[in-house]
Amino acid sequence: MIGIARLNSCREMTPSVRFFVPCMIVCLNVRESRIILLPLATLILKNSMMITRRNFLKAGAAVAALSVVPNGFASILAKKEKAIGVQLYSVRDDLKTDFDGTMKALVDIGYKRMEAAGYRDGKFYGKSPAEMKKYLADLGARMVGSHTGSGLLAEGDTKGWDFWKKNAADTAEVGCKWIVQAGYPSKDIKSLSDVKRLADQFNKCGEIAKANGLRFAFHNHVDEFHELEGKIPFDVMIENTDKGLVTFQIDTAQLVYGGFKCHDYVNRYPGRFANWHLKDANADGKGSTEMGAGIVDFKSLFAVAEKAGLEDYFIEQERYNMTPLQAMKHDYDFLMNASYVKW
């Protein structure tokens, strides 16, 4: 394992390679696989001999080689953070009993990108958009998305559209990028004609979102994968929405429970899945579990991230084998340690 250590004497580095970097000396211990960074002023020359041009070039080549491997020099100088978000529904009960403590605990784990599931009457978890934006900023976090939604609106339903306009304005004010229809209104859907009406509704939601500087997304569950008049409603929604206005937030566990593989959908509809909910699925078909403990093929999904058009992703878990916050720590660490998750 490569690490950073303090050097008191270059004798402890034998055999070693030493060379100059502006204002810094780098010692590469090949035998012990250690890299040590030293201020130039602390340079100690072994046996009082100056570094030759030949040794300098050899050392430079060694470090250049390290820069192309996962645990190389570049990753040591600046560990790359991953843009791991969290859907706050994952800790819904904790938020009810200790909102401040739960939010701080999430930030301490490493979550800086939040997705709300608590927009009611113009407020997010009881705070105005401006209050919530400042609250999160003080924690070093931000609200990236918000789950909300309505049923299939009847023609001429001005009250329903007033809801979407107000909702989008508040979601923009809190600092979000995404406003998300949180589910499929299956009770309102009786025919493929209804599905197409819903797709038209999503296009209009997308226009409202765009007017407020937001992106609109639809979050899948399971019912939309059940055949209706010989078609899969999820496919019909994708095919009847404007790619520039509507994206689809993959709920990985729900899609698998619907009978499909996430990466197969990406390959079928490239560029339509810019937003993901990462949730592992229990093999028994009963809800979610900790990431890596279930049946979702995350590696194959991340392999097609670019093809999907991925921009943001959020961890969500609804059932646990530990406390919700422990599960959030487990899931965060799972993604941080997954070499196939690049950002």
Side-chain angles (χ1 to χ4, degrees):
M1 179 177 180
I2 297 176
I4 296 176
R6 178 178 297 172
L7 178 66
N8 295 318
S9 169
C10 280
R11 290 188 179 90
E12 72 178 72
M13 297 296 297
T14 304
S16 62
V17 184
R18 298 175 301 283
F19 61 94
F20 287 105
V21 178
C23 301
M24 187 178 292
I25 187 79
V26 176
C27 293
L28 169 64
N29 187 326
V30 178
R31 179 176 296 166
E32 297 181 22
S33 298
R34 290 188 297 164
I35 292 177
I36 291 85
L37 307 180
L38 293 171
L40 186 59
T42 65
L43 174 62
I44 301 174
L45 296 177
K46 184 179 180 181
N47 298 326
S48 300
M49 294 177 63
M50 295 300 293
I51 297 174
T52 68
R53 180 177 181 276
R54 181 180 179 183
N55 286 338
F56 178 88
L57 293 174
K58 289 168 67 176
V63 171
L66 278 173
S67 68
V68 299
V69 297
N71 290 325
F73 183 51
S75 65
I76 290 174
L77 290 179
K79 184 178 180 181
K80 184 177 180 180
E81 288 191 8
K82 297 181 181 180
I84 303 172
V86 61
Q87 164 53 246
L88 294 176
Y89 188 75
S90 304
V91 290
R92 56 199 176 278
D93 293 332
D94 297 63
L95 289 173
K96 291 176 183 177
T97 57
D98 183 4
F99 185 87
D100 293 340
T102 302
M103 294 298 287
K104 185 178 184 304
L106 289 172
V107 171
D108 288 345
I109 289 170
Y111 293 107
K112 305 295 191 299
R113 302 163 62 79
M114 312 295 187
E115 186 182 53
Y119 177 79
R120 301 285 186 280
D121 301 321
K123 294 185 176 182
F124 295 88
Y125 300 97
K127 301 180 188 294
S128 72
E131 290 170 341
M132 178 57 77
K133 185 175 183 179
K134 183 181 184 305
Y135 177 84
L136 291 174
D138 290 344
L139 287 175
R142 62 169 291 212
M143 197 74 79
V144 178
S146 176
H147 269 214
T148 184
S150 68
L152 179 61
L153 301 180
E155 292 184 19
D157 185 352
T158 57
K159 185 177 180 180
W161 288 115
D162 287 344
F163 162 80
W164 276 108
K165 291 172 184 176
K166 167 66 172 165
N167 195 338
D170 290 339
T171 302
E173 186 180 354
V174 82
C176 284
K177 173 181 176 181
W178 297 97
I179 184 168
V180 184
Q181 166 82 21
Y184 179 69
S186 54
K187 292 182 180 179
D188 300 335
I189 305 298
K190 309 300 181 185
S191 66
L192 278 185
S193 177
D194 291 335
V195 177
K196 291 177 180 178
R197 280 183 53 215
L198 184 62
D200 290 340
Q201 179 173 312
F202 288 168
N203 283 329
K204 188 170 182 179
C205 288
E207 291 173 352
I208 293 171
K210 187 175 182 179
N212 285 273
L214 299 168
R215 302 278 300 283
F216 175 81
F218 167 74
H219 173 91
N220 69 270
H221 284 85
V222 175
D223 287 349
E224 53 268 49
F225 296 100
H226 298 159
E227 275 197 14
L228 181 63
E229 298 176 17
K231 300 285 187 178
I232 301 296
F234 191 67
D235 296 3
V236 175
M237 286 188 287
I238 294 175
E239 293 165 5
N240 287 273
T241 48
D242 185 333
K243 182 178 180 179
L245 296 174
V246 180
T247 196
F248 288 78
Q249 183 183 64
I250 293 178
D251 182 310
T252 55
Q254 302 281 9
L255 196 152
V256 168
Y257 285 148
F260 299 92
K261 295 179 180 178
C262 299
H263 57 280
D264 285 345
Y265 252 99
V266 171
N267 287 323
R268 190 185 311 173
Y269 296 106
R272 298 308 305 272
F273 305 101
N275 190 326
W276 297 352
H277 258 205
L278 300 179
K279 181 193 300 180
D280 214 343
N282 274 311
D284 62 7
K286 297 179 180 179
S288 56
T289 187
E290 286 72 41
M291 294 187 74
I295 59 175
V296 173
D297 185 355
F298 294 109
K299 185 175 183 179
S300 293
L301 177 58
F302 272 96
V304 294
E306 185 174 354
K307 191 171 186 178
L310 179 64
E311 297 177 23
D312 295 285
Y313 59 88
F314 304 89
I315 287 172
E316 183 182 31
Q317 189 173 335
E318 297 155 340
R319 296 180 64 181
Y320 325 91
N321 296 302
M322 53 191 76
T323 71
L325 282 171
Q326 287 172 340
M328 290 302 96
K329 177 67 165 64
H330 169 94
D331 294 347
Y332 183 89
D333 290 344
F334 177 88
L335 288 183
M336 283 297 295
N337 293 325
S339 61
Y340 54 81
V341 181
K342 303 302 181 184
W343 56 271

